[in-house]
Amino acid sequence: MLELAIGIILGCCALGAGAAMIAGIGPGIGEGNAVAKACEAIGRQPECKGDVTTTMLMGCAIAETTGLYALVIAILLIFFAPGRFVDILMTAIG
């Protein structure tokens, strides 16, 4: 019974880490769209290249934080959470 509970904990942590990494798709799509629109804007008005590039880079940096947060959560779920949850289970059992 204990092995089953530990297996469920490990499986749920792995599923949670995989679900957290799905959040990495959003920043990739968003940054791709931002770069495409910035290239279009520079093509239309080349004299605004510096302003457009600066704004684009700031937006991409902010969008990338979502992916980094997801990565941190996934790493915590893989390496830290299973041991902590098993310790809680063992304490509850006695």
Side-chain angles (χ1 to χ4, degrees):
M1 187 66 167
L2 181 62
E3 293 84 14
L4 178 64
I6 292 173
I8 291 172
I9 289 172
L10 294 175
C12 288
C13 286
L15 285 173
M21 287 313 298
I22 291 174
I25 295 171
I29 293 171
E31 289 172 20
N33 285 337
V35 172
K37 296 299 180 180
C39 288
E40 287 177 16
I42 292 170
R44 288 188 190 125
Q45 294 182 341
E47 66 275 1
C48 294
K49 179 182 178 184
D51 293 337
V52 171
T53 303
T54 303
T55 305
M56 179 201 62
L57 289 176
M58 182 60 74
C60 285
I62 291 171
E64 188 64 32
T65 58
T66 306
L68 292 175
Y69 290 144
L71 178 64
V72 168
I73 296 299
I75 288 173
L76 287 174
L77 281 171
I78 290 173
F79 295 110
F80 179 72
R84 183 72 179 130
F85 289 145
V86 169
D87 289 344
I88 293 170
L89 176 67
M90 293 301 202
T91 304
I93 291 175

